[in-house]
Amino acid sequence: MRHISDEDLFAALGSDSRAWRWRAPVPAGLPSDGADALHGAEVDFLDKGHGRSRLYGFHYLRWMTPLVAAYAETGDPRHAAEWERLFRQWYAGRDLVEGDWPGLDVVWYSLGVCARTMYVTQALAVLGEAVGEECWKEMMKTVLGGARWAAEEHDEFRHGNWQFATVCELLHAARVFADLPEAAQWAEIATARIMEHLERDVRADGGHHERSPGYHGMCLDALRRAAAVEPGLATHPRYLAMHDWLAALMTSGGWVPHLQDSGIVWPSGIEPAKGSTNLEASGYAVFRSGTFHTVINYGPYVGHELEPHSHHAALDFVIAGWGVPLAWEGGGPPSYDDPGYYDWYQATRAHNTLLVPGEEYTEDRRAACDLFSSGHETGDGVDVFAGHHHGYSARHDRTVVFVRDEGYWVVTDRIEAEAIWQVHGLSPWVRHGAGYRTERAPGLLVVPLEEPDEVLFGNGPARIPDPATRTAEYGEIHSLGLRGRGGFTVGIFPFLDEPPTIPDGWTVHADRR
């Protein structure tokens, strides 16, 4: 563990340390909701009952920030006193915390240091003289020790959101605490790493290396904080491209789908892009026309220094229309401790693609786009994606055609194996004519060209975005599975109120390449 004495602190800050204040701005406070509930709360900072992964997040101390926001809003010293009580309790026991991830310290690891530096810096700025001398020292030691640790830990480039976010916060701390003797060294190290991440960890289309909108957003938020104190970053082409990437994936409802291990992302200050696009470097094809929005995943499985955030699916798609999900997927879990993390959220069965019974999905799936054509550019009224992958022992080929003017999709799959064609809606499926429809509207009518050998139904949890409140609480999604062999041709017809009449000749799009 990293201990900093009062002498070290005063040597770093100067003799008039208590009056010393940084000159750069700090971000606005987090919401104050929940501050009163923390008053008098008894907290066991060593309790492993938080969960194997959640224990780490608990020590970010974000849950304490409503006290800071409440003090900023009201000036009530009770909120500052409660922060002081809880923070000093955490500080006294931080060396005793033990986690269950081998070799990964709960307190001294990248995201923990990053988050606490951000939240404690904010608390120092807002609370100021409202906390006692000893608490102030311990908060300063937390920031100083975290910055020293981060500078030593990240002396060379590593892919992934851990380092990217941490070095952005290190640069922010170096500029905010510019009077510290080590600040220039921190800034040099952080800037070098940030530039490497912009060149090597942000793909050419602006997407973060891990292909997860949630972790992309986390890195972009950290980069924005760094750019606030280092304005030159804000003009870097990859910084600008990271915003464009979110705009390409953003629906008319204002949200970005929870692809890979992601939550729903609600970008601020970004408008949805216009037209269809192929994010080739990230492996996402996007169809867009009116309110309809389709994302097809054909990207790689990406590793991580702890656990990968990639899901076991390729050529899977999500569809939104009228600002709500129509064809949806499991997305990211509420916690990585969730018992369904591996067999639902990451599993093939939670995605809109083919499931091959009895086969394990191969991580090295070698997914690829064979064709992308936008009707917006060609003028023929259809968007076309064709691709393949090798996640199973038999190659899976899929073509997705979006008939823009009439607003429906035709999905054609070929595989030399028995497979289950899957799609997930927001309500249960019922028979409707030659196909199956969701019970509730807005929804989908799904019509297979050939009668399947078997029809399967299921359900599982997923976040459901609500544009009115810009929230995404967990609800249920419902799966429709069509079992067959050799291939499938399926029409997908959206409806706002009642299922539509199936257009004559929709099958002419079945083999379009």
Side-chain angles (χ1 to χ4, degrees):
M1 290 299 176
R2 188 171 300 277
H3 296 275
I4 297 175
S5 68
D6 287 355
E7 290 75 15
D8 286 341
L9 180 63
F10 292 139
L13 297 179
S15 59
D16 194 21
S17 60
R18 183 61 168 156
W20 179 85
R21 293 291 181 268
W22 49 89
R23 296 181 295 274
V26 293
L30 293 165
S32 60
D33 295 347
D36 289 339
L38 294 173
H39 283 250
E42 294 298 325
V43 179
D44 183 355
F45 288 93
L46 310 183
D47 183 11
K48 289 189 177 183
H50 294 293
R52 184 174 70 160
S53 294
R54 279 185 170 175
L55 180 64
Y56 288 79
F58 183 73
H59 285 268
Y60 293 0
L61 304 186
R62 185 184 190 278
W63 57 272
M64 288 173 50
T65 59
L67 293 166
V68 179
Y71 179 81
E73 292 175 5
T74 67
D76 187 339
R78 297 182 308 117
H79 298 306
E82 283 302 300
W83 167 276
E84 179 167 353
R85 178 180 69 85
L86 291 169
F87 184 83
R88 296 206 67 194
Q89 183 183 346
W90 171 81
Y91 191 87
R94 72 199 191 287
D95 289 349
L96 304 176
V97 184
E98 295 181 357
D100 290 329
W101 283 106
L104 188 66
D105 192 89
V106 174
V107 173
W108 297 104
Y109 98 106
S110 294
L111 291 188
V113 166
C114 172
R116 282 191 306 277
T117 301
M118 178 170 57
Y119 299 138
V120 175
T121 297
Q122 178 193 39
L124 280 162
V126 173
L127 300 179
E129 302 285 348
V131 297
E133 181 81 17
E134 292 305 312
C135 180
W136 187 88
K137 289 178 185 177
E138 291 168 358
M139 292 165 69
M140 283 300 309
K141 290 177 185 179
T142 298
V143 173
L144 180 60
R148 287 176 174 175
W149 182 92
E152 293 175 8
E153 173 71 11
H154 297 294
D155 61 345
E156 61 181 15
F157 174 81
R158 296 201 299 267
H159 277 297
N161 67 82
W162 284 18
Q163 185 178 87
F164 199 175
T166 302
V167 294
C168 285
E169 188 56 36
L170 178 61
L171 179 58
H172 183 263
R175 295 306 189 215
V176 167
F177 296 91
D179 291 342
L180 292 174
E182 297 163 89
Q185 181 187 11
W186 299 341
E188 181 180 357
I189 292 170
T191 301
R193 295 295 87 74
I194 290 171
M195 298 307 295
E196 288 172 328
H197 277 272
L198 287 169
E199 297 298 332
R200 300 173 59 185
D201 212 31
V202 176
R203 297 172 185 267
D205 56 22
H208 180 253
H209 173 70
E210 292 170 90
R211 308 179 59 248
S212 165
Y215 287 103
H216 175 103
M218 184 184 83
C219 292
L220 181 55
D221 286 345
L223 190 57
R224 285 174 181 149
R225 282 172 56 77
V229 294
E230 193 79 8
L233 290 174
T235 60
H236 194 287
R238 293 286 171 89
Y239 176 81
L240 301 174
M242 290 180 77
H243 294 82
D244 294 339
W245 191 83
L246 287 177
L249 292 172
M250 189 177 180
T251 71
S252 62
W255 43 271
V256 175
H258 52 193
L259 309 166
Q260 314 309 324
D261 272 355
S262 178
I264 303 298
V265 176
W266 302 89
S268 297
I270 296 175
E271 295 295 324
K274 299 184 184 301
S276 300
T277 187
N278 187 15
L279 299 170
E280 294 183 63
S282 297
Y284 289 120
V286 183
F287 298 158
R288 189 191 301 272
S289 179
T291 70
F292 292 124
H293 182 265
T294 310
V295 181
I296 305 164
N297 165 42
Y298 67 92
Y301 188 95
V302 180
H304 185 267
E305 56 189 298
L306 185 63
E307 284 206 345
H309 294 302
S310 291
H311 286 187
H312 296 275
L315 307 187
D316 48 308
F317 59 83
V318 292
I319 295 173
W322 304 292
V324 298
L326 298 174
W328 208 216
E329 64 178 35
S335 163
Y336 296 124
D337 298 320
D338 191 288
Y341 177 48
Y342 297 109
D343 66 4
W344 170 252
Y345 294 102
Q346 278 208 345
T348 313
R349 69 189 185 99
H351 299 79
N352 302 318
T353 188
L354 294 190
L355 176 66
V356 176
E359 282 203 31
E360 292 291 331
Y361 192 87
T362 302
E363 293 177 358
D364 183 18
R365 56 205 184 199
R366 290 173 287 148
C369 172
D370 300 315
L371 172 69
F372 179 85
S373 175
S374 170
H376 180 75
E377 297 176 353
T378 63
D380 63 359
V382 296
D383 290 347
V384 182
F385 167 86
H388 69 275
H389 75 90
H390 299 271
Y392 300 117
S393 57
R395 168 171 158 155
H396 172 204
D397 286 81
R398 165 166 279 186
T399 302
V400 182
V401 177
F402 175 44
V403 184
R404 300 168 57 89
D405 295 340
E406 298 182 65
Y408 67 88
W409 299 259
V410 179
V411 182
T412 304
D413 293 281
R414 296 290 178 262
I415 187 169
E416 293 302 317
E418 183 183 52
I420 299 172
W421 189 96
Q422 301 179 131
V423 67
H424 299 77
L426 297 193
S427 61
W429 298 85
V430 295
R431 186 80 191 197
H432 183 87
Y436 299 85
R437 56 158 290 186
T438 54
E439 284 186 346
R440 296 197 306 268
L444 295 175
L445 170 63
V446 171
V447 181
L449 185 61
E450 297 180 350
E451 191 69 21
D453 297 336
E454 184 181 10
V455 179
L456 305 167
F457 302 100
N459 63 283
R463 292 180 177 93
I464 312 298
D466 178 3
T469 61
R470 289 176 66 87
T471 59
E473 301 297 330
Y474 277 89
E476 274 195 334
I477 57 174
H478 300 264
S479 61
L480 169 69
L482 309 175
R483 185 189 291 268
R485 184 175 183 85
F488 305 84
T489 298
V490 182
I492 301 176
F493 306 94
F495 60 90
L496 184 58
D497 298 306
E498 294 294 331
T501 300
I502 301 173
D504 292 335
W506 67 269
T507 56
V508 301
H509 300 290
D511 292 310
R512 179 152 183 167
R513 293 296 295 265

